[in-house]
Amino acid sequence: TQLLEQSPQFLSIQEGENLTVYCNSSSVFSSLQWYRQEPGEGPVLLVTVVTGGEVKKLKRLTFQFGDARKDSSLHITAAQPGDTGLYLCAGTSGTYKYIFGTGTRLKVLA
Amino acid sequence: SQTIHQWPATLVQPVGSPLSLECTVEGTSNPNLYWYRQAAGRGLQLLFYSVGIGQISSEVPQNLSASRPQDRQFILSSKKLLLSDSGFYLCAWSVGGEVTEAFFGQGTRLTVV
C-alpha cells in the first residue's frame, strides 16, 4: 500500500516567518502535486513536479521533488495570513489513482 | 475552460435513508473521475474512480457505491446510510488517458443523524 506521510501535522507561526512542509513515502511516484484547501472547499492545485530533483517556485512558495521521486518539500518564505490553510501532497505512480498525504494544517498569525 | 459541479453542498440525512450525490464535469471529454472522502482537517481517502462510462473501481469496501451513467457524470450512492458515512465528500476529475493534475469540486458535507 502506498502511503504519503506529511510533517508537521500542525504548524502555527507568526507572519514573516519561514516554514517547510515535508511529504515522504517509501514508494516512487511518477509525479507529485501540492494542493491548498480552505475549510469547506475542495483542494486547489498549487503545483505539479515530475522530474527527480526538480524545483519549482510560485511567488513565495518553493517546491522540490526528491532525487529518487519518493519525497517532496514545500517551503514558504515570509509567510502571510493568506497562506493559512490545509496543505496536501498527492502522488501518482502510473495508475489513474492519486494517493494523498496526511495533510499539514498551517496557521499564520498576523 | 473546464469546470466541475458537485451538489448538494450540505446534506443532513437520517440513518437508514438513501444517498445520492452528483458530480458533473464540463469542457472536457472522457475524463477520469474520482470520489474522495475527507476526515476533518486530514488527507483524502479515495473511494471510487472511473476511467470511462460504466467503469468503476472501488478502493475500499464500504456502504457506498458509484456509477457513471454518462461520460461526464459521476454519482455516489448508498441504499442505507450509517452514522459512519458522515464526512466531507469530494468529486474530482483529471485528463483522460493521462495522470496529471486532479481538479476538485467544492465538496459535500454529509451529516448522518
Side-chain angles (χ1 to χ4, degrees), chain B residues 8 13 17-18 25 30 36 48 51 73-74 85-86 92 101 113:
Chain B
Q13 292 284 101
S17 65
V25 181
N30 195 31
Y36 286 89
F48 301 95
V51 300
Q73 182 184 29
F74 206 23
D85 292 324
S86 294
E101 299 89 353
V113 296

Side-chain angles (χ1 to χ4, degrees), chain B residues 50-61:
Chain B
S50 171
V51 300
I53 296 174
Q55 300 179 58
I56 309 294
S57 296
S58 174
E59 285 299 293
V60 293

